[in-house]
Amino acid sequence: MRLSSGLRAAALALTLLAGLAASGAARADEGTIRFAVIKGGWFIGASGGDGALFFHDNVYAVSVGGLSAGLVFGASRTSFHGSVSNITSPYDVSGTYVALGGGAALLGGGQVLVLQNEKGAQLKLTGKQIGLQVNIDLSGLAITVK
């Protein structure tokens, strides 16, 4: 009898945990983001820019800054747009995103990025790049929702 009571308690605990996990996932929401970044460097690069986050019929200003190290040469401006998922508040987008990547632009080019921050917010971005730049680097990008 004691074993069956323990099994029932374990089953009830697992059911409650699954319900809490599902309700947390159900509360996660999504929005869209758009920002422009100017990047330049010679082995070590820096980037900065601004844009907007669109979430629940509201617009939030965002600022973007970052550093990169590796093979970085040149300067470019990239206009990104895409989706933001797994957020419950617009401020979940604020955080640090890290990417290992590479690319080249001679007057123009494109980029596709999927990034995630420490809060679990995920960005799926496409970008149009203008300038002259070659890079194979590790980049850190900080986004702040104002």
Side-chain angles (χ1 to χ4, degrees), residues 8 44 81:
R8 270 187 268 152
I44 295 177
H81 67 279

Side-chain angles (χ1 to χ4, degrees), residues 72-133:
V72 180
F73 168 74
S76 67
R77 179 181 190 277
T78 307
S79 297
F80 287 103
H81 67 279
S83 65
V84 178
S85 60
N86 199 33
I87 60 175
T88 57
S89 157
Y91 301 102
D92 289 343
V93 176
S94 291
T96 304
Y97 300 81
V98 178
L100 176 63
L106 177 60
L107 302 180
Q111 288 193 358
V112 176
L113 296 173
V114 177
L115 305 168
Q116 185 168 326
N117 71 6
E118 67 279 2
K119 297 173 194 165
Q122 188 176 73
L123 306 179
K124 294 179 183 175
L125 304 169
T126 58
K128 198 174 215 181
Q129 189 173 15
I130 300 170
L132 170 61
Q133 183 163 355

Side-chain angles (χ1 to χ4, degrees), residues 17 31 51 63-64 94 102 104 139-140 146:
L17 284 175
S63 62
V64 180
S94 291
S139 298
K146 299 177 186 178

Side-chain angles (χ1 to χ4, degrees), residues 46-67:
S47 60
D50 57 11
L53 170 67
F54 304 89
F55 184 70
H56 287 186
D57 296 326
N58 293 308
V59 180
Y60 301 87
V62 298
S63 62
V64 180
L67 293 173

